[in-house]
Amino acid sequence: MTLTAGVLAVQGDVSEHADAIRRAAATHGEEAVVHEIRHAGTVPDCDVLLMPGGESTTISKTIAEEGIDDEIVGHVDAGKPVLATCAGLIVVSRDAGDERVATLDLVDVTVERNAFGRQRDSFQAPLDVAGLDSPFPAVFIRAPVIDAVGDEVDVLATWNGRPVAVRDGPVVGTAFHPELTEDSRVHDLAFFEGTPAERDTAAADD
Ligand code: GLN
């Protein structure tokens, strides 16, 4: 089967996310065809979306100017998966506490930008992630922290007691950068394990 993946290509680790989704697909015997999203019109062709890090203020402004914001909302309303990382998570959150970021309110969390410290404070840590059987090498770069978490949100990982990976329906958001290692298990979790509703259906079919 061929999966059509769209990587938002405003800024950030576009090629790394493209590689990670290809690797994750390959472990399922599938092929991922990757489109870079720069303008409106591409998102509707995509089965899954990846929203890389960067600067959430810039990403927010650009997707609004290009009309990509409404397409992303439509993708999620249709129940299709998204993996949003770092600044991507900030953009899909309910509230980022920064009026320069027009959040899409697709993940019912509030976030605080840059709350782990500035660039020099970037770090890597082995992270226990729900659904993975060994720690994930998580790279944090001027990462946001997640503050309030809505009732429907599953917390997949915490660091120092704060949520750093969450799932809200078809959207997985991480404060860290899963595309920066060879380990594609977070991409796998986001796109191949199914949404909770799909898992329920699969369980009911058993
Ligand atoms: N500090 C960035 C922001 O607040 C996020 C950093 C990142 O994506 N690595 O938008």
Side-chain angles (χ1 to χ4, degrees):
M1 208 184 108
T2 301
L3 182 77
T4 303
V7 184
L8 187 61
V10 174
Q11 314 182 301
D13 300 324
V14 177
S15 62
E16 289 86 348
H17 270 298
D19 286 347
I21 180 68
R22 286 192 198 101
R23 286 199 308 274
T27 65
H28 293 270
E30 294 190 25
E31 189 191 350
V33 172
V34 181
H35 295 310
E36 295 190 358
I37 299 164
R38 297 178 203 281
H39 305 287
T42 307
V43 170
D45 293 336
C46 296
D47 301 317
V48 306
L49 294 181
L50 299 102
M51 297 177 64
E55 278 308 318
S56 49
T57 48
T58 307
I59 295 169
S60 167
K61 186 165 173 277
T62 306
I63 63 175
E65 282 170 1
E66 294 290 337
I68 302 169
D69 52 352
D70 290 342
E71 293 186 341
I72 295 170
V73 172
H75 176 96
V76 173
D77 283 350
K80 296 193 211 170
V82 176
L83 173 59
T85 61
C86 204
L89 167 63
I90 296 169
V91 171
V92 296
S93 73
R94 175 162 60 79
D95 186 3
D98 186 331
E99 63 188 17
R100 294 170 299 168
V101 184
T103 52
L104 300 182
D105 196 9
L106 297 171
V107 174
D108 188 10
V109 296
T110 65
V111 298
E112 185 186 347
R113 299 180 60 210
N114 300 320
F116 280 111
R118 308 303 307 181
Q119 193 79 46
R120 66 180 182 282
D121 295 319
S122 299
F123 61 99
Q124 179 165 349
L127 194 67
D128 288 324
V129 178
L132 304 187
D133 53 12
S134 62
F136 187 86
V139 178
F140 292 82
I141 304 171
R142 294 174 52 235
V145 296
I146 297 170
D147 292 320
V149 175
D151 291 343
E152 303 293 313
V153 176
D154 288 333
V155 174
L156 303 178
T158 59
W159 181 252
N160 285 344
R162 313 287 294 270
V164 291
V166 291
R167 183 196 287 276
D168 189 353
V171 187
V172 170
T174 67
F176 56 91
H177 286 263
E179 76 285 4
L180 289 180
T181 68
E182 291 299 303
D183 192 329
S184 55
R185 288 180 297 162
V186 168
H187 289 73
D188 194 38
L189 261 186
F191 299 129
F192 294 97
E193 304 295 315
T195 62
E198 285 166 349
R199 285 200 299 274
D200 287 348
T201 310
D205 289 346
D206 280 346

